[in-house]
Amino acid sequence: MSGLAIPYLTLAAILFCIGLYGALSKKNALIVLLSIELMLNAVNLNLVAFSKLGIHPNLTGQIFSLFSISVAAAEVAVGIAILITYYRNRGTTDVNEMNSLKR
């Protein structure tokens, strides 16, 4: 692997760690969704870096990245719709209070 990819991979690791911290420690469901998006963007950055600067450069990683972006967009649309409906019914977006499926 080329030494040019190391800054991209370091940035992706930092973004992934920030997203993981936000997804595991925050109580607001919207912040958790944003943290998951940050983690997906870190994965996309890894895919593009390996695709462009790897041992055998080709477009495979960039194509996978486009699929990941489209899945992330669908996930956000469904997640925000669920959160809006939940907020209208319960009046909160606290993930600790989202236990209606446990009953």
Side-chain angles (χ1 to χ4, degrees):
M1 180 173 57
S2 172
L4 297 172
I6 293 181
Y8 297 109
L9 300 178
T10 304
L11 176 63
I14 291 169
L15 287 176
F16 191 85
C17 289
I18 292 170
L20 185 64
Y21 172 75
L24 294 177
S25 66
K26 300 301 177 185
K27 293 183 179 183
N28 190 346
L30 188 61
I31 302 298
V32 171
L33 280 176
L34 288 173
S35 298
I36 291 170
E37 288 298 317
L38 194 62
M39 292 166 57
L40 285 173
N41 285 330
V43 170
N44 288 336
L45 184 60
N46 274 334
L47 286 171
V48 171
F50 279 121
S51 169
K52 185 73 174 167
L53 303 169
I55 297 171
H56 302 291
N58 55 14
L59 292 177
T60 307
Q62 294 175 9
I63 292 170
F64 279 132
S65 180
L66 286 175
F67 283 124
S68 174
I69 289 169
S70 63
V71 167
E75 176 253 333
V76 165
V78 171
I80 294 294
I82 290 171
L83 278 179
I84 289 172
T85 304
Y86 191 83
Y87 181 75
R88 286 182 182 170
N89 288 334
R90 304 283 183 186
T92 185
T93 59
D94 189 7
V95 292
N96 292 331
E97 296 179 13
M98 294 183 183
N99 59 3
S100 60
L101 292 177
K102 290 182 182 179
R103 295 179 191 156

